[in-house]
Each structure stands twice: as C-alpha cells, then as structure tokens.
Amino acid sequence: MNLPGTRTLRARITLLATVLVAAVSLLLLWLAWTLVRDSLDAVPQMPPGSVVVVDGVTVDASTLAEHLRVHARNRMLLFGSIAFLLVVAAAAILAWTFTSRVLLPLREITGTARRLSVESLGERIGEIRSRDELAELASTFDDMLDRLQAAFDAQRHFVANASHELRTPLSVIRTELDVTLADDDADEAELRRMGGVVRDATERAGQLVNSLLLLARTDGAGLGVHEPVDLAVVVDRAWRAVQREAAQRGIQATFSVAPAPAFGDPALLERIAGNLLENAVRHNVDGGWLEVVTQPGPRWSTLRVRSSGGLVDPAGVAELFEPFRRAGVARTARSGAGLGLSIVRAAVSAHGGTVTAEPIVGGGLSVTVHLPVR
C-alpha cells in the first residue's frame, strides 16, 4: 500500500535524482562539445587556393574544413541530445523503482503508526530488511512504543488501584449509614459509633486524595522552587510529626544527623523525609527500632532511614516504589494508601537524585536517598 506521504517523498527523491543526472549530463555534453570544437580548430589550415580530392572529387580545402566542422557539430548535437534524453529517462525510471524499495521500511513504519491506538499499542514494526538509518528509526520507534505501552499499562493499573482504594472507605461510609438509618432503635451511642467510623473512613479517603495530588504534582514534573535546604533540619521537622506515634508503640529512634546541604523545593524535601519516617514507624513492629542518618558529600548529600519490621522479599523491593504497594501487607490494608515510597521516588527524581531500598536481615527495610548539593 502506497501511503500519500511516501508517494510524495518518492516523487521528490525521483525528481531530485533526475535533475542531478540531467545537470551532470549537460555538463558532460558541454565538455564533449568543447573537446570536439578544440580538436577541429586544431586542424592545420591549408594555404588559400589549395584543393583536396575526396572520393575522386576535387574540393576546395577551406570549404572542406567548414563542412567538417558543421557535420561534426550536427552529429554531436544529435547524438548528444539522444544520449541526454536516454540518460535522464533511465535515471528517472531507476530512481522511481529503487526509491520504492528503499522507502518500503518507511511505509511499514508509517502504516504501523496509522494503525496504532490505545487499544493496539502491542503492535510493533519488528525487524526490517535494511540495515541503515531506517532500521535504526524502526528500532527507535519500537522502543518508543514499548515505553508508551508501559506508561499506559501503569496508568491503567494506577487508576484501577486508586479506584479500589477509594471504593473501600466509600463502601464503609455507605454501609454504616445504611445500617444505622435502617435501625429505628438506634440510640445516641450507636450514632456516635457510626460517626466515628465515618470520620475515620473520610480521613482515609482524604489522605489518599492528598497523596494522589502530591504524586501527580511530583511525578514527571519540574521543580517550582529552588532553594538551599539542610536535610538535618528537614529530618527534625518530619520527626516531630511522627514522634508521638513512635513513642506510643515503643519504637527506639537513633539519629546521626549532620548538616547535609541540598538544593530544591523545601516542601517536597520535607515530604521525602516525612514519608520515610512515617513508613519506618507505621510499618514497624511494637518495641522496634529505627535509625536516621544524614551525610554531606562533595556532590551528593545522603539521607538514610533504616527500621525494623516484617520480612521483605528482596525480589519485591523494587515494587515497593510502585503505587499502592506495601512491604509485607496486603494492598487493601488500612495502614496507609501505599503511596509513600511512590511519592518519595517521584520527588527525588524531580530533584535529580536517586533512591534505593534493601531489606534488612531479620526483618525491616533500609531506604537511601541521594540528593544533589547544587
């Protein structure tokens, strides 16, 4: 199938090749005519009144020389014009034919691109016969489709999980309201109990919505604020928010925080430290421990949070940075929305840093963040 775009490109390439061949042919004809003319001009001139015998006929020498010049010029123009037309026609035909073969991979790429949609992102160009720039273009196009398909799959998965997470508190609210309103004998205590359940469910839904908004703000977006920030100060502020919860659960916290400069959005950097400390407390065990370390460096500052907790499969550590994934608990558990490390990864990437995690022997998780100093 010849697509309009490839037909236009094919015609343009054919026209360009034909024009170039015609120009070269004209140049060669001009050179040939110049050589013939110079050769005729170099013929020695006979003295006036000289005669020569041609096929038994006596001819004046000057007349013969002029006749030879005219004859050579006419034959040169005749055969040169015929050769010029043949060469140009052959160039046009060959260019049109071979351009079709050369542009065949491009037609395949264009056809695949036209057939693609959100529902058919699995189609690929695959291997093509050529091994030139078009093959590189096809490979690049397939790689781009792989990334797009991964992004769409992640988006579908994210939306499905977000819908499920939001459905849970909404279902709790609806059930509590239906049961309480259907009970004609419900007293004040029952209404208060229902109000408490509804309040907890709405708080969970609100936290999830806030986390989704923060993740959408940081994931793939640039920073709106660039300021120098001390990670030690950020950790101190984040710890105050979870210190009471840690004390209630008997978690022993150890801090080894040195001034560690970073550069970026103070609110997002505080959210990084806050999410790491919240995870370290909420996914810990009663009477457990946690360690927080900040270290400066010439190019990178380090924030490391280690804590005890449940056993974490080393093979599944990378998945903890995906939305709605939690270490050692079900996705539908009530302890958070499973967006903490996803937000950490997005915020760290927005700052140009890196974040890694590794399980601790005996149970727990260690998360290390590297942030650029400038």
Side-chain angles (χ1 to χ4, degrees):
M1 178 180 64
N2 286 330
L3 300 173
T6 57
R7 286 200 300 266
T8 304
L9 180 60
R10 183 183 181 187
R12 291 172 61 185
I13 294 176
T14 302
L15 179 62
L16 178 61
T18 305
V19 171
L20 290 176
V21 171
V24 173
S25 300
L26 288 175
L27 178 62
L28 292 177
L29 285 175
W30 178 78
L31 291 175
W33 167 247
T34 302
L35 291 175
V36 171
R37 184 189 61 189
D38 292 344
S39 299
L40 292 174
D41 292 340
V43 174
Q45 299 291 329
M46 296 291 184
S50 300
V51 295
V52 294
V53 179
V54 180
D55 294 334
V57 179
T58 301
V59 182
D60 184 77
S62 60
T63 303
L64 176 63
E66 182 63 23
H67 176 74
L68 290 176
R69 290 190 183 93
V70 173
H71 180 71
R73 182 184 63 189
N74 292 338
R75 291 181 65 85
M76 181 66 191
L77 291 176
L78 174 63
F79 289 105
S81 300
I82 295 175
F84 173 76
L85 294 176
L86 291 177
V87 170
V88 171
I93 294 173
L94 292 176
W96 182 262
T97 303
F98 284 102
T99 302
S100 176
R101 296 176 61 87
V102 171
L103 293 179
L104 179 60
L106 185 59
R107 290 199 297 273
E108 296 176 357
I109 296 173
T110 306
T112 301
R114 288 180 178 272
R115 292 190 300 270
L116 286 176
S117 66
V118 176
E119 289 75 21
S120 61
L121 283 177
E123 188 172 355
R124 297 292 184 272
I125 299 172
E127 295 292 333
I128 60 177
R129 289 183 291 273
S130 63
R131 292 294 182 269
D132 51 12
E133 288 81 0
L134 290 177
E136 184 178 355
L137 175 62
S139 176
T140 303
F141 190 78
D142 284 344
D143 293 339
M144 180 192 69
L145 291 178
D146 290 337
R147 293 191 296 270
L148 284 177
Q149 185 175 21
F152 275 110
D153 291 342
Q155 184 185 47
R156 291 193 186 99
H157 184 69
F158 180 82
V159 171
N161 287 338
S163 300
H164 185 85
E165 291 286 342
L166 284 172
R167 188 184 300 116
T168 301
L170 293 177
S171 299
V172 171
I173 294 173
R174 184 176 57 251
T175 300
E176 288 294 329
L177 289 174
D178 291 342
V179 171
T180 304
L181 293 176
D183 186 4
D184 296 333
D185 299 329
D187 54 9
E188 181 181 353
E190 181 64 19
L191 292 176
R192 287 184 175 276
R193 185 201 64 79
M194 182 269 293
V197 174
V198 171
R199 182 190 59 190
D200 294 340
T202 53
E203 286 181 356
R204 182 186 178 194
Q207 291 174 357
L208 177 60
V209 170
N210 291 334
S211 297
L212 289 173
L213 291 175
L214 181 59
L215 182 60
R217 173 193 171 192
T218 56
D219 196 5
L223 295 178
V225 180
H226 295 80
E227 298 178 1
V229 180
D230 187 353
L231 293 182
V233 176
V234 168
V235 168
D236 180 65
R237 293 175 181 171
W239 173 245
R240 296 176 187 175
V242 296
Q243 185 175 6
R244 179 178 297 180
E245 183 179 354
Q248 292 174 350
R249 299 188 58 189
I251 297 175
Q252 300 295 322
T254 303
F255 293 87
S256 178
V257 290
F263 196 77
D265 188 331
L268 285 181
L269 291 174
E270 185 171 343
R271 190 65 267 163
I272 292 173
N275 282 8
L276 293 179
L277 289 174
E278 288 174 5
N279 282 353
V281 172
R282 294 174 184 175
H283 297 293
N284 213 317
V285 295
D286 293 340
W289 56 269
L290 69 84
E291 298 176 354
V292 182
V293 177
T294 59
Q295 294 177 340
R299 296 181 57 189
W300 303 88
S301 290
T302 302
L303 168 62
R304 181 177 296 107
V305 178
R306 303 176 72 251
S307 63
S308 57
L311 293 175
V312 179
D313 184 7
V317 170
E319 297 181 356
L320 297 179
F321 292 97
E322 298 299 326
F324 307 106
R325 301 295 178 90
R326 304 183 183 87
V329 297
R331 187 181 59 81
T332 57
R334 295 179 177 271
S335 55
L339 292 171
L341 290 182
S342 299
I343 294 173
V344 169
R345 181 183 64 177
V348 171
S349 298
H351 284 81
T354 60
V355 56
T356 58
E358 58 182 359
I360 296 176
V361 178
L365 189 69
S366 175
V367 181
T368 302
V369 174
H370 295 287
L371 293 168
V373 175
R374 294 293 297 179

